[in-house]
Amino acid sequence: MRRMFVLCSLPPIALQIADNDSQLQYRMHDDLAEYINNNFKIGGDTCTYGEGASGSKRLRTAMASHMNSYFNPVSPVLPDDISFSAGVTAINEMYAWSLADEGDGILLNRPIYGAFENDLTTKARLTTIHVPMDGVDPLSADVVSKYEAALQNAARKATKVRALLLSNPHNPLGQCYSAETLKSLCRFCQKHQIHLISDEIYALSVFDSGNPDALPFTSVLSLETTGLIDPDLVHVLYGMSKDFGAGGLRLGCIVTRNQKLKQAMRAISMFHWPSSLSDAMAATILEDTAFVTRHLKASRERLAENYQLATGILDDADIAYHKGSNAGFFLWIDLSPHLPSPPQMTTDPLESERLLSNRLFDARVYLATGEEFHSEQPGWFRVIFSQEKEKLVEGLKRVIAVAKQQNAE
């Protein structure tokens, strides 16, 4: 009883949510709030419905300029290529509703950001096909054979696959796709006439991890599509929540040159109408290119600091993690050697992972489980390292203590 009292009296530490609430020792939020307070003034127009439900011309122009500066597109992104909504979550739901019929399939690799499941199935009711990698690097060109097999399996079940959804940089692996792999995936999508959707929400949260082999970010917009893929099949997702630490603005967008998709999404955009206040704030931020440069530079430097801190702690404790990360806010850590024995008579291989998750919860540290990311092996967890340093260190200490306790048992 005394041990439980001590554990429950500890303050909780959440290392599972990449929503920037404590991103980069909270300083990024402070920097952004200070900028907004000093440079943004509420006008009468921000209290109206604005120019429509897909973002103002001013915001779409500012975002187009931003993406032309940082995403290296082969053809310049135009304001009309961009449609905004109240977050990328809403964008996921809208393109799923627009591109596919109920029951149609969409391919995703494993592991992958787990909330895609809700985004794509709750309203649009797509069939998410989480493709087993069976040891193949999901970011390598070899992955095409896995998607081919999944496509054939879907056909046998009479499931029509409409799209392949990528997370680039990858969540939870924290790596970027190579141009070679992206081109291979474009050829695959062109061959089967399915859409390639690239979620690039962490595009500019790429930092120096100290690994010389880590790949820089490559956007699918930077690929020459001639002879590779019909540009009407290529779509990019982006927003303000991650790179800018501004999830509270609730602004996400899709970049597409597919006129029919744009029309379909804009027809239902009134259900996800972005705030005119958020629209104007984001435009003000994006138009100030000097501030954007400073803000992103600070973000990358702080991410690199916390990455080195977290990996150093894990290395000292002999806790394994996915190597090669240099993007996003997370580490994919392997706690499989510390899984407790499953209850007798259970046939669910994930039960041990759930038990370990509960024991971490008892220690007042919260991690996202591999099950949430459709991991193929139990025992993997996602750790968010973009925290206050003191909170990050204490959280990892609790994880290590639970792991050691499991070994002792």
Side-chain angles (χ1 to χ4, degrees), residues 89-104:
T89 292
I91 292 288
N92 283 328
E93 181 185 272
M94 291 165 68
Y95 73 68
W97 179 267
S98 301
L99 288 177
D101 295 323
E102 182 175 336
D104 286 349

Side-chain angles (χ1 to χ4, degrees), residues 152-163:
Q152 293 171 14
N153 187 51
R156 286 192 290 269
K157 297 178 180 178
T159 299
K160 185 172 181 59
V161 173
R162 295 288 188 177

